[in-house]
Amino acid sequence: MNWITNYVPPRIRSFLKRDTPENLWIKCPETGQMVFHKDVEANLWVIPGSEHHMRLNAKDRLALTFDDGAYEDIALRDVALDPLKFRDEKRYVDRLRDARTKTSMQDAVKIGVGAIEGLEATVGVQDFAFMGGSLGMAAGEALITGMQTAVERKLPFILFAASGGARMQEGILSLMQLPRTTVGVQMLRAAKLPYIVVLTNPTTGGVTASYAMLGDVHIAEPGALIGFAGPRVIEQTIREKLPEGFQRSEYLREHGMVDLVVHRRDMRATLARICRLLTKQAAPDAA
């Protein structure tokens, strides 16, 4: 009996078992619908049916934004790795190492220069997968480098924002990036170059309180959470129920904080059209 129990069923299970890729299906966060991974990827990482916009990593975002996915990867300056020698449950240097391994990025911001429907532009992307897209010294330096690159090359600067706010492990050095990036925005203004911000899910905290809301034009992806404090914190503070859809893209557009809510499939064309309008350049077929 032991031989039958211990040997036969495991052999049958191993014979019938099929290897299935872990990412074959994606579950929609809104509806719970299971969608084939390849269908979501082919739809620009938007869930068919619910139209829920999945988060994009920085490399995919840049590839989808530029013509043929081709762009120049701008080198970023190094900063002090762990100036405060911070430690909570883990050492900060260990968290950075884990995030770099997970995302293959040095920090939360990546900068690229390329063409969007034939128009050259500088694009910065915050990657939420890197420690929640938090703003630290390296991310702030990257944003300033992107803005300086735009000024030097006389190009529009487009930012895809996605962040949980300032990086607590860097304390006051993180908060210093708020005025530093604000000065970078002023550099763009002085050079009379467009600064366009695309708010993606989520854009919160100190990032929203600084450069993410200083654009000439503010675009948001559908359903993105945008605000300083989260809705749960606000409800607990004011002890009132918030309106339906509060702090979401569509609500903010209705109340004047966002200019446009644009589906991902229309983003490239919208960015190109706005950049041409602000730089007074004709479309390629009208030249």
Side-chain angles (χ1 to χ4, degrees), residues 54-207:
M54 304 290 289
R55 290 173 186 159
L56 284 176
N57 63 45
K59 293 180 181 178
D60 286 345
R61 179 73 73 175
L62 289 171
L64 289 177
T65 301
F66 291 116
D67 296 347
D68 301 321
Y71 61 92
E72 176 189 351
D73 193 351
I74 301 299
L76 304 177
R77 292 185 286 267
D78 292 329
V79 300
L81 191 62
D82 184 12
L84 302 182
K85 307 300 179 187
F86 191 93
R87 184 187 184 108
D88 44 44
E89 294 177 354
K90 294 174 63 176
R91 294 190 307 162
Y92 179 39
V93 289
D94 294 335
R95 292 190 184 278
L96 284 174
R97 184 183 64 247
D98 293 345
R100 289 175 175 179
T101 301
K102 175 184 175 183
T103 63
S104 299
M105 291 179 56
Q106 283 299 105
D107 210 271
V109 175
K110 191 173 182 64
I111 305 293
V113 175
I116 305 175
E117 295 196 350
L119 178 74
E120 289 287 314
T122 305
V123 177
V125 179
Q126 286 185 272
D127 194 330
F128 194 80
F130 195 105
M131 297 186 69
S134 52
L135 177 64
M137 295 170 60
E141 194 66 36
L143 289 166
I144 292 169
T145 298
M147 294 172 184
Q148 289 176 335
T149 301
V151 171
E152 291 167 2
R153 304 191 187 190
K154 296 180 172 58
L155 300 175
F157 184 70
I158 300 169
L159 172 68
F160 287 88
S163 178
R167 188 170 299 175
M168 57 170 279
Q169 291 89 348
E170 295 184 14
I172 190 64
L173 299 174
S174 171
L175 296 178
M176 285 172 59
Q177 307 313 308
L178 276 62
R180 290 187 73 226
T181 50
T182 301
V183 172
V185 173
Q186 293 302 319
M187 290 168 43
L188 293 170
R189 296 267 166 78
K192 298 182 179 180
L193 295 170
Y195 172 43
I196 301 168
V197 180
V198 182
L199 303 160
T200 70
N201 185 46
T203 304
T204 59
V207 169

Side-chain angles (χ1 to χ4, degrees), residues 205-281:
V207 169
T208 310
S210 56
Y211 60 86
M213 296 306 289
L214 294 177
D216 298 311
V217 179
H218 292 102
I219 304 171
E221 286 192 330
L225 175 65
I226 303 164
F228 182 69
R232 184 178 59 184
V233 174
I234 296 174
E235 284 186 340
Q236 291 174 346
T237 302
I238 66 175
R239 298 182 181 181
E240 290 184 16
K241 185 67 177 176
L242 296 174
E244 185 69 25
F246 182 76
Q247 290 188 317
R248 295 291 173 174
S249 303
E250 295 76 10
Y251 183 93
L252 296 181
R253 179 188 57 191
E254 292 173 4
H255 290 78
M257 288 192 67
V258 168
D259 298 303
L260 296 168
V261 177
V262 179
H263 194 285
R264 192 170 288 165
R265 64 172 171 264
D266 302 320
M267 190 63 71
R268 289 180 69 252
T270 301
L271 291 173
R273 185 170 65 252
I274 292 173
C275 286
R276 291 190 187 283
L277 177 65
L278 296 180
T279 58
K280 299 180 181 180
Q281 295 189 42

